[in-house]
Amino acid sequence: MAQAGLLGILIAFLGICLSSADGKPAPVLPAAAREFLEAHNLARAAVGVAPLKWSEKLGNGTNRVVRFQRNKMGCQFANLTSGKYGANQLWGSGMAVTPRMAVDAWVNEKTFYNHADNSCAPNHRCGVYKQVVWRKSLELGCAQATCVKQQVTLTVCFYDPPGNIIDSLTVCGTIICPVINGKPVRLCLQEGSQSSPLILLDLPLNTSAFSSLIKHGMIRMVFECKCDSAGSKEPLLSNPQWVMYCNGLKMGLARRRELSWKDEWLLEMTRTVSAGAGFLPDKGSGGHKYLRGQFEKVPGSGSDHSQAYHLIDPSDSFGQELSVFFLRH
Ligand SMILES: *[C@@H]1O[C@H](CO)[C@@H](O)[C@H](O)[C@H]1NC(C)=O
Ligand SMILES: *[C@@H]1O[C@H](CO)[C@@H](O)[C@H](O)[C@H]1NC(C)=O
Ligand SMILES: *[C@@H]1O[C@H](CO)[C@@H](O)[C@H](O)[C@H]1NC(C)=O
């Protein structure tokens, strides 16, 4: 069963299916489950993504799929196009395929994936790698079956929530308003409530100017990169200076700031708030008001030259539409 005996390995990614069965959880994971889980979590740790948990329900689901494919379909790929889980499959022929080999085959697609522009080299299926490291997927279940006659091993993993939900990236937006007048209002966007900011800006607005702006129903904040041609190779949001417009009016220059310990403290204090407004008292500075909400990155806006975010769960505290645009000409 050497590498040379490999006739073929095929990989599939699909968005899927399968209902659950109920029952009591097994206290100790079987060896194969541990191997699947460890291989996934190694790949996730390598790119700073939290580990998956094993789900017996998903494990049972994949088990039913591979048994059906073995008994009725000669271990072909399963048709998993309609279902609520993410799924990776591997079809390996002419050799034994261990759980680790299956996961490694998916992770190897990493080589063909370009994180910067979310693109994939021609003739490769980066979806399988992206599903392995998908940040919002939390649970994993996998199973394998072998068809002895055909010498084929089919491996299937399910992921919940499913990955590769194209372009529906949600970010957490926080607007921090120092109560002492004259200090700039800050805007922060984070991928998750604990991630370091995608962008953190001092806006050319003080708290009273900002408060009078948000009295109007709809706000469009446009940030136009103040960048020279050398800067245009950097990721869009890394630019240090932006000309800010609010509903068409030029406000002035917004500046990227480094995360100070005070910013970190403020973000930490609001970490559990998914949407809302509040006040954080603080002796030294007189305290901060904050507004916080979930923003959806607009599909197709992830280019090097423009990104758009819309507030998706307006709470009473926001009470309005808010969109933020970043542009580079
Ligand atoms: C998974 O399958 C096993 C064996 O059939 C069963 O005992 C267990 O209750 C199932 N667990 C879940 C969560 O479906
Ligand atoms: C897979 O199943 C879906 C519906 O469940 C069907 O529309 C599709 O044609 C099937 N694909 C293949 C390759 O059989
Ligand atoms: C806040 O900004 C407004 C508008 O730019 C300005 O008129 C006002 O003086 C500022 N307030 C303080 C306390 O700096």
Side-chain angles (χ1 to χ4, degrees), residues 16-22 56-65 82-85 158:
I16 337 327
C17 69
L18 259 269
S19 59
S20 66
D22 43 11
E56 198 185 57
K57 185 174 107 181
L58 296 184
N60 285 2
T62 53
N63 206 6
R64 281 192 293 274
V65 170
S82 57
K84 59 178 176 155
Y85 303 133
F158 280 170

Side-chain angles (χ1 to χ4, degrees), residues 78-126:
N79 180 359
L80 301 170
T81 46
S82 57
K84 59 178 176 155
Y85 303 133
N88 279 346
Q89 303 193 60
L90 186 86
W91 182 96
S93 156
M95 66 192 291
V97 177
T98 65
R100 188 168 310 281
M101 285 162 66
V103 179
D104 285 351
W106 296 328
V107 171
N108 283 338
E109 292 290 305
K110 177 181 191 171
T111 330
F112 307 105
Y113 175 57
N114 181 352
H115 273 283
D117 62 0
N118 190 27
S119 65
C120 193
N123 305 321
H124 287 277
R125 308 284 296 273
C126 298

Side-chain angles (χ1 to χ4, degrees), residues 3 24 33 70 83-84 86 134 151 174 177 182 208 220 272 297 299:
Q3 195 82 6
K24 58 181 191 310
R70 181 192 62 199
K84 59 178 176 155
W134 196 260
Q151 289 206 336
T174 312
C177 303
S208 55
R220 285 167 60 92
T272 54
K297 187 169 177 180

